[in-house]
């Protein structure tokens, strides 16, 4: 019995650990029918949900039947949502304002439209800023883009932008919370996009549960490298938390060479700035291993990896080569006995925050209004920026501190029903609000005209300005009067009745039992 209880407790504990490991994960399988929402991934056991709560517009599709075998057993690539209309279409994902996240979008064309396109290209944006250019060159191509960012609001839009290179689409959107201490270079003002992430010396692709943050680690092979590995546990590093299964494999040059060309690339945008994180943990004989790490000709560090302890080397600031060509190289120093080695690396490019955005208060208020009334216009992404994609009926103030406020909202003739929401009062800088031509009913929130910082023109009925009228104060006064009258009159009546009954009872002692019965029934 005790054993059974212990067993049950361990099962519960194990389940709790599994759930805790995925805490805050949001995994959206785009185009998935709602009836399959919640299906668990065969490899990671992560539940994937349908995308309809997070996006408006677009069309659901399945990849071509003859492409199903090319999804690498990843069912989330079998369905997708495409966006033939509208230049910008966004998923709006719920976040905790101020928390750090990894967001990933995955794309597999799979000839879903039967066009057998040999090239599909479009851009993706994180909020209002350019994040990545997606470029697929065959039906089997599988592209993923990741960004690490700090949420600036309780909603973050991730957007697909049609640049004329085909119809944008997306197969998967995944959100993973990161501990605030991870990737200290990322802040509310600095987001970055994953350019490359490699697990060196590995024999397979790695993600959750090997990496509790579900980062994608690809493997990489090179004829000049030899694989090395260990079973020993490696002590992790606090800034990157590269997990043991990643650190336990590494590469070194073949034939005791002294140089490793870790990565060479050319940037497709001259303006890109890069940050490189090289992850090391030595697990060979404890003899001196010392090397210099370079990005182009700049020495990042002269370095000795620690024994069975993870540590990292990075460039101190965002790096840009004027010719757009980059190489990252490790070269043994003269003192080194052992050749260089490296376990893993990550390369990011800076997501420039060069576009202003709507203040988070106003964005959150607009999201509440949009959801409350089920507005389904072009209302997706940031309400104000970029101006060419601004929400219909919304006008914004001049930018201060890279954010803007909503000052004008015209929702007239929009088939709104229900009552006038208190959420309109959250738009504190509003100067104009038009709700005429709808089927709204119920009282006008008294605070709407009052709470507003500046003067508000509020049209509701037949274009009349309701703020200019004397809006009768809410029935708070009446309520108090009612409460007072009830609380005064009722006891008085009761007392009078009691006194009268008492007198009556004294006079008619003979009928005592009858009146006692009535008294009991009524009080
Ligand atoms: C699709 O295009 C490729 C090359 O562009 C061609 O080899 C293939 O036969 C085409 N498939 C179909 C179904 O048209
Ligand atoms: C972000 O930018 C604002 C405005 O320039 C600044 O006040 C704030 O300190 C910055 N925050 C971080 C974390 O860099
Ligand atoms: C290293 O591992 C990779 C992946 O398993 C493999 O393709 C490659 O041949 C290995 N390299 C050597 C030199 O054994
Ligand atoms: C890795 O590279 C080695 C040497 O070039 C080669 O023999 C091997 O087949 C490659 N493995 C893979 C999986 O590409
Ligand atoms: C590499 O160096 C070690 C120690 O100096 C030596 O024992 C080994 O034979 C060398 N291996 C090769 C392939 O040269
Ligand atoms: C390493 O040795 C080479 C050749 O002997 C020499 O030119 C170079 O200055 C030495 N480098 C260092 C850092 O000692
Ligand atoms: C506004 O954006 C510009 C361009 O990215 C940046 O240089 C500046 O620091 C930002 N200002 C604030 C207040 O965040
Ligand atoms: C906003 O900017 C425009 C153009 O720069 C300017 O004419 C206008 O006065 C500004 N408005 C406010 C309220 O600052
Ligand atoms: C709403 O309808 C009224 C009456 O037909 C019209 O005057 C007004 O311009 C319309 N508003 C919008 C934004 O279309
Ligand atoms: C508004 O209209 C929609 C569709 O006609 C209906 O489903 C919804 O219940 C209505 N809401 C209110 C608050 O009347
Ligand atoms: C906004 O509207 C939603 C839906 O009606 C409601 O739950 C929420 O309390 C409102 N927020 C405020 C501040 O009124
Ligand atoms: C607002 O009220 C003032 C004073 O009663 C009046 O002169 C003005 O015409 C009104 N404005 C509008 C837009 O109704």
């Amino acid at each position: 019995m005790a054993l059974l209880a212990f067993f049950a407790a361990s099962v519960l504990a194990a389940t709790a650990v599994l759930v805790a490991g995925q805490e805050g994960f949001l995994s959206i399988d785009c185009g998935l029918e709602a009836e399959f929402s919640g299906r668990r991934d065969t490899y990671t056991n992560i539940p994937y949900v349908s995308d309809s709560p997070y996006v408006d517009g677009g069309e659901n599709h399945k990849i071509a039947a003859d492409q199903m075998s090319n999804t690498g057993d990843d069912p989330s690539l079998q369905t997708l949502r495409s966006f033939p209309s509208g230049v910008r279409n966004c998923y709006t994902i719920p976040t905790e304002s101020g928390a750090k996240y990894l967001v990933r979008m995955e794309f597999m064309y799979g000839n879903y439209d039967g066009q057998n396109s040999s090239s599909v290209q479009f851009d993706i944006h994180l909020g209002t800023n350019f994040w990545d250019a997606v470029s697929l060159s065959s039906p089997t191509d599988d592209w993923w883009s990741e960004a690490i960012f700090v949420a600036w609001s309780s909603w973050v839009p991730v957007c697909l932008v049609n640049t004329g290179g085909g119809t944008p689409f997306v197969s998967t959107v995944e959100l993973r919370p990161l501990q605030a201490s991870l990737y200290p270079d990322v802040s509310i003002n600095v987001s970055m996009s994953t350019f490359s992430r490699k697990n060196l010396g590995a024999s397979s692709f790695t993600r959750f549960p090997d990496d509790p943050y579900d980062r994608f680690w690809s493997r990489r092979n090179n004829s000049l490298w030899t694989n090395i590995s260990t079973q020993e546990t490696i002590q992790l590093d606090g800034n990157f938390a590269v997990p043991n299964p990643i650190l336990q494999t590494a590469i070194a040059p073949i034939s005791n060479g002294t140089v490793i060309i870790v990565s060479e690339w050319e940037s497709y945008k001259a303006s890109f700035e890069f940050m490189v994180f090289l992850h090391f943990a030595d697990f060979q004989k404890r003899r001196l291993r010392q090397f210099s790490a370079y990005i182009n000709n700049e020495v990042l560090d002269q370095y000795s990896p620690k024994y069975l302890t993870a540590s990292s080397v990075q460039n101190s600031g965002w790096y840009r080569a004027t010719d757009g060509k980059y190489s990252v190289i490790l070269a043994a120093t003269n003192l080194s006995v052992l050749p260089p080695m490296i376990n893993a690396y990550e390369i990011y490019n800076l997501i420039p925050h060069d576009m202003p955005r709507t203040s988070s208060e106003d964005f959150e208020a607009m999201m509440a209004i949009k959801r409350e009334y089920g507005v389904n216009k072009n209302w997706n992404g940031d309400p104000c920026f970029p101006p060419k994609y601004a929400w219909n009926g919304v006008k914004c103030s001049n930018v201060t501190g890279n954010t803007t406020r909503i000052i004008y909202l015209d929702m007239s003739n929009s088939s709104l029903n229900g009552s006038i929401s208190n959420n309109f009062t959250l738009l504190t800088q509003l100067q104009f609000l038009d709700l005429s031509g709808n089927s709204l009913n119920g009282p006008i929130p008294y605070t709407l005209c009052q709470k507003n910082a500046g003067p508000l023109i509020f049209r509701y009925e037949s274009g009349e300005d309701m703020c200019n009228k004397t809006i009768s104060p809410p029935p708070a006064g009446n309520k108090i009067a009612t409460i007072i009258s009830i609380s005064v009159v009722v006891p008085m009546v009761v007392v009078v009745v009691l006194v009268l009954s008492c007198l009556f009872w004294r006079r008619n002692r003979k009928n005592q039992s009858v009146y006692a019965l009535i008294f009991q029934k009524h009080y």
Side-chain angles (χ1 to χ4, degrees), residues 505 508-521:
W505 176 71
N508 302 274
R509 278 175 180 252
K510 275 186 267 178
N511 293 330
Q512 181 192 60
S513 55
V514 176
Y515 289 104
L517 191 68
I518 292 170
F519 186 86
Q520 211 175 4
K521 228 177 162 181

Side-chain angles (χ1 to χ4, degrees), residues 5-65:
F6 172 74
F7 178 70
S10 346
V11 169
L12 277 178
T15 316
V17 166
L18 180 66
V19 171
Q22 302 181 10
E23 205 174 321
F25 280 25
L26 173 63
S27 310
I28 302 171
D29 184 350
C30 308
L32 185 70
E33 300 292 340
E35 58 183 303
F36 299 117
S37 196
R39 66 153 187 86
R40 283 183 183 270
D41 183 72
T42 38
Y43 175 68
T44 60
N45 201 34
I46 294 172
Y48 281 73
V49 297
S50 163
D51 59 356
S52 43
Y54 306 99
V55 66
D56 305 323
E59 300 171 352
N60 286 0
H61 287 281
K62 278 195 170 70
I63 62 169

Side-chain angles (χ1 to χ4, degrees), residues 445-487:
Y446 179 61
T447 48
L448 188 55
C449 298
Q450 274 199 327
K451 260 197 176 173
N452 210 270
L456 173 70
I457 298 171
F458 171 39
R459 298 215 173 109
Y460 174 38
E461 282 159 341
S462 59
E464 261 189 276
D465 181 358
M466 304 305 283
C467 285
N468 203 21
K469 289 172 99 180
T470 320
I471 301 174
S472 43
N478 295 346
K479 249 186 212 158
I480 289 168
T482 313
I483 289 165
I484 289 172
S485 46
I486 290 172
S487 50

